[in-house]
Amino acid sequence: MAFVPTLGELERAVMETLWSASAPVTARDVQDALAGRDLATTTVLTVLGRLERKGLVTRERAGRAHRYRAVASREDHVAELMRDALDAAPDRGAALARFLGSIPEDERAALRDLLD
């Protein structure tokens, strides 16, 4: 069983920026994307480093800077979180039933279509 690291609020915001980017981005790009938060470049670099240690981000040298990208897609990450949650449940069937009971009918229909 692979464990998916939990993310803090700022880590989630940085990951959202990486997931939304069409190509690897610099720390400055991330800082600009999160301009409303008034973050220092060192703060962004610290968060990117933590995400890299958690295995969620890779970096590559681009001149004097590094470019960062998410290791997996947002959808892959969410699927892993869901799998972790199910693995933690002593009764997977009951957990799935509760989950299905908590989502709108159109999403249940989409799940039925995917299963068929």
Side-chain angles (χ1 to χ4, degrees), residues 48-65:
L48 286 165
R50 268 189 297 190
L51 291 169
E52 185 179 14
R53 284 188 297 283
K54 288 181 177 186
L56 298 171
V57 168
T58 60
R59 70 179 173 158
E60 57 195 40
R61 176 70 73 183
R64 292 185 46 174

Side-chain angles (χ1 to χ4, degrees), residues 93-105 107-109 111-112:
L96 283 168
R98 287 281 175 105
F99 173 71
L100 290 173
S102 71
I103 62 174
E105 177 54 41
E107 291 178 6
R108 285 195 299 272
L111 283 172
R112 274 189 225 94

Side-chain angles (χ1 to χ4, degrees), residues 25-56:
V25 296
T26 65
R28 180 59 179 211
D29 295 332
V30 173
Q31 183 180 15
D32 290 347
L34 301 175
R37 293 178 178 256
D38 194 29
L39 300 171
T41 304
T42 54
T43 302
V44 173
L45 286 167
T46 298
V47 172
L48 286 165
R50 268 189 297 190
L51 291 169
E52 185 179 14
R53 284 188 297 283
K54 288 181 177 186
L56 298 171

Side-chain angles (χ1 to χ4, degrees), residues 56-105:
L56 298 171
V57 168
T58 60
R59 70 179 173 158
E60 57 195 40
R61 176 70 73 183
R64 292 185 46 174
H66 285 98
R67 292 199 177 276
Y68 298 85
R69 68 175 178 82
V71 169
S73 70
R74 178 187 292 111
E75 294 76 15
D76 289 335
H77 182 72
V78 170
E80 285 293 323
L81 289 172
M82 293 169 72
R83 218 175 353 266
D84 277 356
L86 278 176
D87 287 345
D91 184 345
R92 288 174 74 109
L96 283 168
R98 287 281 175 105
F99 173 71
L100 290 173
S102 71
I103 62 174
E105 177 54 41

